Amino acid sequence: SQQGEEDPQALSIQEGENATMNCSYKTSINNLQWYRQNSGRGLVHLILIRSNEREKHSGRLRVTLDTSKKSSSLLITASRAADTASYFCATGLRMDSSYKLIFGSGTRLLVRP
Amino acid sequence: DAGVTQSPTHLIKTRGQQVTLRCSPKSGHDTVSWYQQALGQGPQFIFQYYEEEERQRGNFPDRFSGHQFPNYSSELNVNALLLGDSALYLCASSLAMRGPNNEQFFGPGTRLTVL
């Protein structure tokens, strides 16, 4: 079963606008990561935020984490047509000597030129 | 610096058959994880290999098995294929010594279709 739930499931915006995606999760985590996937291909890592961090930036990306609410948000500013993709949050969970990612169901972003 | 590679890219099988998927991790990485992604869903963790042993397993039946070789490459085997096994199978590599707060690098995936 999925750990995270992204909201919204789909988002359509105009080029130049900002896109905000939200993610909620259920259990304690070591970190939360955001990935992008183009047309059912491999996942591209965007950003990792640790459980003791509240906000992180990378270029046009801004991620926030609220562990008390078990939620995170991804903001893409000044969106471009090339940002059209599916975006997934994944919680990093350590168990014994290993570590796995638990993904949400994703937000499908369409940026109209 | 080679990234994660997977083979084959696409595969078509019929119900009841067996399939083997292959993954070569990013150079310098020693841990390989496998994920199954059904259409329209997020990836689901199958299992993880480190030091040639299965370290952790997700909620998948024993029909799913794997192997890691001394060069850190890995195979995913699925026996007695079902229609529901149709999915994109993703391999991810990482470096165990960096602990949980490290990035997993994903390959392009193998698209398996079961008819």
Side-chain angles (χ1 to χ4, degrees), chain A residues 24 29 33 41 45 48 51 61 66 110-111:
Chain A
S24 61
I29 60 173
Q33 305 184 36
R41 301 179 66 184
H45 185 265
L48 180 154
S51 59
L61 306 180
D66 187 336
L110 172 65
V111 181

Side-chain angles (χ1 to χ4, degrees), chain A residues 25-40:
Chain A
Y25 58 92
K26 299 173 184 175
T27 65
S28 297
I29 60 173
N30 294 102
N31 59 66
L32 188 141
Q33 305 184 36
W34 285 89
Y35 286 83
R36 185 185 73 214
Q37 185 176 43
N38 291 85
S39 301

Side-chain angles (χ1 to χ4, degrees), chain A residues 1-2 30-31 33 35 37 40-43 45 48 50 88 93-95 97-101 103-105 108, chain B residues 33 35 37 40-45 48 55-58 88 90 99-104 106-109 111:
Chain A
S1 62
Q2 306 282 329
N30 294 102
N31 59 66
Q33 305 184 36
Y35 286 83
Q37 185 176 43
R41 301 179 66 184
L43 295 161
H45 185 265
L48 180 154
R50 301 185 184 201
F88 294 92
L93 186 62
R94 181 160 203 155
M95 292 183 64
S97 61
S98 67
Y99 165 74
K100 68 180 180 182
L101 292 174
F103 285 84
S105 52
R108 281 155 288 285
Chain B
S33 303
Y35 294 82
Q37 186 179 22
Q41 301 295 316
Q44 290 206 13
F45 176 79
Q48 183 179 85
R55 297 291 178 166
Q56 191 177 169
R57 189 179 185 91
L88 180 68
L90 295 163
N101 290 320
N102 75 105
E103 178 182 346
Q104 289 195 12
F106 282 80
R111 173 74 61 187

Side-chain angles (χ1 to χ4, degrees), chain B residues 13 36-39 81-89 111-115:
Chain B
K13 293 285 188 178
Q36 180 197 65
Q37 186 179 22
L39 197 62
L81 284 167
L82 304 173
L83 295 179
D85 295 331
S86 294
L88 180 68
Y89 288 84
R111 173 74 61 187
L112 172 65
T113 302
V114 182
L115 302 177

Side-chain angles (χ1 to χ4, degrees), chain A residues 11-17 19 79-85 87 109-113:
Chain A
L11 181 61
S12 179
I13 60 174
Q14 201 72 34
E15 200 166 30
E17 294 180 337
S79 64
R80 306 166 182 168
D83 294 328
T84 294
Y87 291 82
L109 173 66
L110 172 65
V111 181
R112 304 185 306 274

